[in-house]
Amino acid sequence: MVNSMIPFSGNPLNRASERRIDQEWIGAKQHEPTTRIWPLWRLKPFLLGGEDGEAASVEAGYLQTPLACDLAPVTAFSIFLGLDEDGAALFALDVASDVDPSAEGPLAGLGHFR
C-alpha cells in the first residue's frame, strides 16, 4: 500500500475565510505590529537559511511590516494568507524589482529567493 500525504493538510494556518471579503479588516491587519509579510520576487518566495538545497536548513522568510514596506510601493500586490497560531496576520507581497532584493538593499545577507 502506498502511503500518500495530502499537501498542507497539517498546516496550522487559519485561513480566516469568513473575514477575507472584509476590506476594512484586511486593511487594519496589514498595519498591525504583529503582522508578518512573506516577500515574493518573480514568484519565488523569500527563504531564510542556506541556499545549499537542504530543506531542513531553510524556513519561510517572513518579515515584520516596517522592513517589508521598504521593499515595495504601497500599491504593490499583496495577498492575505491567513492567521498564525497566535492570531498574527500573514501576507504575501509581490516585490516587483529588476534586481534581486536579496542581493542588495534591506534583505541583503538575510536570505534568498528560491
Side-chain angles (χ1 to χ4, degrees):
M1 177 173 154
V2 176
N3 188 1
S4 61
M5 182 179 147
I6 299 172
F8 304 113
S9 63
N11 189 348
L13 190 66
N14 174 356
R15 302 282 295 152
S17 57
E18 71 283 356
R19 303 304 300 256
R20 290 179 168 275
I21 59 171
D22 185 343
Q23 292 302 311
E24 188 174 309
W25 183 84
I26 294 286
K29 285 292 185 188
Q30 287 179 319
H31 300 289
E32 287 185 355
T34 58
T35 292
R36 294 192 318 269
I37 311 293
W38 197 10
L40 293 126
W41 176 67
R42 297 183 177 176
L43 298 178
K44 298 174 188 174
F46 183 64
L47 301 173
L48 303 174
E51 288 189 67
D52 57 11
E54 290 186 38
S57 67
V58 298
E59 63 182 75
Y62 287 105
L63 306 174
Q64 296 297 324
T65 304
L67 179 57
C69 288
D70 291 342
L71 298 174
V74 175
T75 57
F77 187 72
S78 70
I79 296 174
F80 173 65
L81 300 174
L83 303 170
D84 72 7
E85 296 150 325
D86 297 324
L90 305 175
F91 288 86
L93 175 68
D94 178 27
V95 180
S97 171
D98 292 333
V99 179
D100 180 348
S102 65
E104 59 184 54
L107 297 183
L110 295 178
H112 60 282
F113 289 91
R114 183 179 340 158

